[in-house]
Amino acid sequence: MLGLIAAVTLGLPLLGLGPLADTPIGLSGYQVNLVGQVMAFALLALAHDLVWGYAGYLSLGHGLFFAIGGYLVGMHMIKASYVGQSGVPTFLEYMGLSEFPAHWMAFEYFGYAVLAIFVLTALVAFVIGFLAFRSRVVGVYFAILSQAFVYAAMLVMSRNDTGFGGNNGISGFGSLLGMPLSSLEFRVGIATVSALVLFMALIALRRLTVGPLGKLLIGIRDDEDRLRVLGYETLWVKTGVWCLSALLAALAGLLYVPQVQVASPQLLSPMLSIEIAVWVAIGGRGYLYGAIVGAVLVSVAKFWLTRFMPELWPFILTGSVLFVVVLLRNGLMDPGPLFSRRRND
């Protein structure tokens, strides 16, 4: 299974390069771009499955961490394009600014931007996670709380005076690390990097979840009170795993925004955070593979249907969720309940 995923994820982007691009099995630049976006979404779903599938905490706010990665890498691309030049982007001119604000300082360096993404994400995740877990916020209340944070962030980032482009967001990116974003080589390169990061994250999380920590997470999911009675301190375990999941989500955002070339409040939309949970539910939570399968299936269907039959997409997505909730409660990775139900009937 792992070898098949590696061959497919790492091999697909390369179908857009060289002589393969001119063959019937080759991919166009547009298709390679879609492959890269789907890989980033699969990484995001993997991050979500770690906290929902294993620890049992449904997050409806993972878009917050995804957006942190996306916005900060967008700041880097904008700032790098103005090195050695005077002036500022149009959305800053609209605010009456002639220079970049102080919080844009040093973002022309890619290393600084990556460090800022990880530090800010870890800090935000720690504050949210520690306060929620210490107060023993569980179940639907945790889901509501996580969505409240992402919704509040969306409202803040929609304001023009924040210096992040308001409703339109940050766009007009030209290049990343010296490579034009519109070139085929960049699209293939970042899609391959996205696939490689996804594959490495899958291996790392598999090792984590089959070990003692994974068993502890499952214990927290199934009966946390009993773990506490047995003397286990679960607060720091949950906080640590929550922060790890947030960092993976931010990494997905870092890989996603250069491919779509815009970082806007849509990344913080509650709809996106709900959709992430839908990917994991359809694929099967608590399997890791299931999160990837769900993200790939739903994203590919969404890309295709919203292009050719946009009016059908909401109904098909709703029907798929109802099918999983009623007949496949563990998702596509565990079809057993469907067959046992038929035998009982």
Side-chain angles (χ1 to χ4, degrees):
M1 185 71 172
L2 202 58
L4 177 63
I5 290 178
V8 172
T9 54
L10 297 176
L12 264 180
L14 299 178
L15 294 178
L17 268 185
L20 288 175
D22 299 322
T23 66
I25 63 170
L27 298 179
S28 66
Y30 172 74
Q31 291 168 327
V32 171
N33 183 260
L34 292 186
V35 170
Q37 291 181 45
V38 171
M39 296 298 171
F41 285 152
L43 179 61
L44 182 56
L46 202 60
H48 190 276
D49 193 29
L50 183 62
V51 290
W52 188 27
Y54 286 89
Y57 281 82
L58 171 61
S59 167
L60 295 180
H62 257 49
L64 174 61
F65 310 118
F66 188 62
I68 290 175
Y71 264 99
L72 295 194
V73 76
M75 289 171 67
H76 161 70
M77 289 188 286
I78 288 289
K79 191 74 185 291
S81 66
Y82 278 83
V83 172
Q85 301 181 28
S86 59
V88 293
T90 306
F91 63 87
L92 291 179
E93 286 182 352
Y94 183 76
M95 293 173 56
L97 299 175
S98 57
E99 295 180 350
F100 282 95
H103 59 272
W104 285 71
M105 186 177 65
F107 267 91
E108 62 270 28
Y109 303 107
F110 182 71
Y112 177 83
V114 173
L115 180 64
I117 288 171
F118 287 128
V119 171
L120 182 61
T121 302
L123 182 62
V124 172
F126 178 80
V127 171
I128 296 174
F130 180 76
L131 293 177
F133 298 138
R134 188 171 183 273
S135 303
R136 299 188 180 179
V137 179
V138 297
V140 67
Y141 299 104
F142 183 84
I144 293 172
L145 179 69
S146 60
Q147 184 150 94
F149 276 106
V150 76
Y151 186 64
M154 185 185 73
L155 294 180
V156 170
M157 297 302 283
S158 298
R159 295 170 57 94
N160 287 324
D161 56 5
T162 57
F164 294 102
N167 283 323
N168 295 324
I170 306 174
S171 60
F173 311 132
S175 63
L176 179 63
L177 297 175
M179 295 185 67
L181 300 187
S182 58
S183 68
L184 179 61
E185 289 75 13
F186 176 81
R187 292 181 179 185
V188 172
I190 196 163
T192 305
V193 170
S194 301
L196 185 61
V197 172
L198 171 64
F199 184 63
M200 292 173 64
L202 175 62
I203 292 176
L205 292 186
R206 276 194 77 220
R207 291 189 176 182
L208 185 148
T209 52
V210 299
L213 182 58
K215 293 175 182 175
L216 194 55
L217 288 176
I218 292 173
I220 290 172
R221 180 191 67 189
D222 294 343
D223 198 340
E224 186 175 354
D225 290 337
R226 178 173 292 183
L227 277 181
R228 288 203 194 97
V229 170
L230 292 174
Y232 287 95
E233 175 53 71
T234 58
L235 170 63
W236 296 111
V237 175
K238 292 186 293 185
T239 304
V241 168
W242 170 257
C243 290
L244 174 60
S245 173
L247 290 173
L248 288 174
L251 188 56
L254 186 159
L255 295 167
Y256 176 74
V257 163
Q259 301 185 70
V260 296
Q261 301 184 28
V262 61
S264 73
Q266 288 301 312
L267 299 177
L268 293 158
S269 165
M271 290 297 294
L272 174 61
S273 291
I274 293 173
E275 199 169 309
I276 299 167
V278 169
W279 297 338
V280 178
I282 289 179
R285 63 190 177 102
Y287 292 94
L288 295 181
Y289 294 120
I292 296 175
V293 169
V296 171
L297 288 179
V298 176
S299 299
V300 170
K302 182 179 180 180
F303 282 133
W304 192 83
L305 287 171
T306 53
R307 183 179 182 187
F308 298 104
M309 294 182 290
E311 68 280 357
L312 290 182
W313 170 242
F315 299 100
I316 292 177
L317 181 61
T318 304
S320 301
V321 173
L322 284 175
F323 177 77
V324 168
V325 170
V326 175
L327 298 175
L328 282 176
R329 294 191 175 183
N330 295 325
L332 296 174
M333 296 301 289
D334 182 19
L338 179 62
F339 296 111
S340 61
R341 190 187 189 92
R342 286 183 176 177
R343 281 197 297 270
N344 293 334
D345 291 340

